[in-house]
Amino acid sequence: SVTVVSYLSTQEAGLTNGTPVEMSSPASASSLFNRLQLDDDLEGDNRDPYAFTETRDLFVTVDDPKKHVSTMETYITYRVSTKTTRVEFDLPEYSVRRRYQDFDWLRIKLEDSQPTHLIPPLPEKFVMKGVVDRFSEEFVETRMKALDKFLKRVADHPVLSFNPHLNAFLSAKDLNKRQGLALLSKVGESVKQVTGGYKLRARPAEFCAMGDYLDTFSQKLGTIDRIAQRILKEQSEYLTELREYGTVYSSWAGSEEELQRPLEGVAGCVSTCCGALEDMSENMSQDFLPVLKEYVLYTESMKNVLRKRDQSQAEYEGRLEAAILRKQEDRTPIPMEVEKCQDKVECFNADLKADWERWQSNKRQDFKQLLTGMADKNIIYYEKSQAAWESLVTLLQDKQTEDKTSETN
């Protein structure tokens, strides 16, 4: 028997397809969301492609994680909800449960059947035992958001969203991964047959620029991630010390009647600062770092497509050179397989360019929201801390006035 446990008591509303988690915005007048108009400087083709919902006909959401406990294993499943008007689906709405390995199956199938396209990354499967509890509420919710984003990106893609494997993933009650679907595009089959026997002469300049950008971008993200991890660790240590620091003042106030109010005021300020710091650290660990990791994985996915494009070009160049030599020797016409290789390269080039533009557009939107949210959280932290200490100054001044009045009387 399998025991199913509802994992999260409350869930956030479904995320807008392909966009990062919406950062909370306070009512404070200093909120960046009230002061910045992020999209005013964007051209029309750079605006959020998911803002105009009337052009979309496939909506997906991943939520409601549940823990399953059996004698053989313990695992988490997620509810995958679908609403659509597409004729490829038999029903307008579906609700199925999927576990991580099902998402992994889908990504592998998409990569095999659509080799010329950029497949969005999944969150990393393995976690270090003893370091991260993969059944903790925080881990499960972070993974759920990442799976939701992955599926939304696939569902919003003009080609991937029509893949039959996605249809099966969204609609089939029981996903038979062993048998799978008898689907591999001709392009996919031919790419799988490409071996290392061909050597690329020269990558075109525009694709060289892509490769250079990805190398630099991934290095910068890696550096930011490492520093952010250290900051998070230091904040955690500081928070522990700060809590102990506040407790000392509370204890002291109990044995010092004349200083009780000021000491309790200091303890209250420290407690407020602890809460504000905890909120800021939580934002970094649950919203900021996951986006960085997603884009590190995204760059690896893009590099993989770029390598496959290079292999395809190398195959075409090798076959073309061999065909030209044969033609010079015995006037043999250029075989059809060379033309097919050329078509494959052109298909790779067109699909890669289109996906590159889509990725860049999404990246601009994601990082604008991410950095704005980070700035807003920092402002909230310092405003709360400042307000707490200013209230203490007022309390101390009032206490001083009371003491003078008592001395006069």
Side-chain angles (χ1 to χ4, degrees), residues 189-256:
E189 289 176 338
S190 59
V191 169
K192 285 175 118 16
Q193 294 170 2
V194 175
T195 64
Y198 298 99
K199 185 176 180 180
L200 182 67
R201 290 183 178 178
R203 178 187 279 178
E206 60 185 323
F207 297 112
C208 282
M210 285 184 188
D212 292 342
Y213 175 87
L214 292 171
D215 288 338
T216 303
F217 182 62
S218 60
Q219 288 173 4
K220 291 183 184 299
L221 289 186
T223 302
I224 293 174
D225 181 63
R226 287 193 298 274
I227 295 173
Q229 294 279 8
R230 290 203 301 268
I231 291 174
L232 201 58
K233 182 181 178 182
E234 290 170 2
Q235 285 179 346
S236 177
E237 293 171 351
Y238 174 62
L239 191 57
T240 300
E241 297 291 339
L242 200 60
R243 287 196 177 108
E244 185 177 345
Y245 183 63
T247 302
V248 173
Y249 282 99
S250 295
S251 176
W252 186 9
S255 59
E256 194 84 37

Side-chain angles (χ1 to χ4, degrees), residues 61-262:
T61 303
V62 179
D63 61 8
D64 188 30
K66 292 185 184 296
K67 184 177 182 180
H68 300 252
V69 181
S70 68
T71 54
M72 298 295 295
E73 62 177 336
T74 301
Y75 58 93
I76 304 293
T77 64
Y78 305 86
R79 179 175 60 193
V80 177
S81 304
T82 304
K83 292 183 179 181
T84 183
T85 57
R86 292 187 179 181
V87 296
E88 293 84 6
F89 291 86
D90 296 330
L91 300 173
E93 294 187 18
Y94 294 90
S95 179
V96 295
R97 298 206 69 84
R98 299 286 183 250
R99 56 191 296 187
Y100 179 91
Q101 66 184 32
D102 298 326
F103 287 87
D104 192 40
W105 171 86
L106 173 62
R107 192 181 188 282
I108 291 171
K109 289 298 182 181
L110 290 174
E111 202 166 49
D112 286 345
S113 57
Q114 311 279 180
T116 63
H117 285 286
L118 171 63
I119 311 301
L122 282 171
E124 293 174 303
K125 180 177 182 179
F126 298 103
V127 296
M128 295 178 64
K129 290 185 177 180
V131 177
V132 178
D133 178 8
R134 64 192 184 98
F135 297 115
S136 69
E137 182 175 321
E138 180 181 344
F139 178 82
V140 170
E141 185 169 5
T142 299
R143 171 167 281 188
M144 179 192 72
K145 290 178 180 179
L147 294 175
D148 182 79
K149 183 178 290 187
F150 161 77
L151 199 58
K152 280 177 164 60
R153 292 198 192 281
V154 173
D156 287 318
H157 194 282
V159 176
L160 301 180
S161 64
F162 288 93
N163 189 288
H165 293 108
L166 176 63
N167 187 312
F169 177 87
L170 297 176
S171 60
K173 285 295 181 183
D174 296 314
L175 199 60
N176 190 342
K177 296 187 290 297
R178 290 183 179 179
Q179 182 177 4
L181 297 173
L183 173 72
L184 267 181
S185 66
K186 293 181 179 179
V187 176
E189 289 176 338
S190 59
V191 169
K192 285 175 118 16
Q193 294 170 2
V194 175
T195 64
Y198 298 99
K199 185 176 180 180
L200 182 67
R201 290 183 178 178
R203 178 187 279 178
E206 60 185 323
F207 297 112
C208 282
M210 285 184 188
D212 292 342
Y213 175 87
L214 292 171
D215 288 338
T216 303
F217 182 62
S218 60
Q219 288 173 4
K220 291 183 184 299
L221 289 186
T223 302
I224 293 174
D225 181 63
R226 287 193 298 274
I227 295 173
Q229 294 279 8
R230 290 203 301 268
I231 291 174
L232 201 58
K233 182 181 178 182
E234 290 170 2
Q235 285 179 346
S236 177
E237 293 171 351
Y238 174 62
L239 191 57
T240 300
E241 297 291 339
L242 200 60
R243 287 196 177 108
E244 185 177 345
Y245 183 63
T247 302
V248 173
Y249 282 99
S250 295
S251 176
W252 186 9
S255 59
E256 194 84 37
E257 185 176 350
E258 291 298 321
L259 291 175
Q260 183 176 3
R261 285 177 58 196

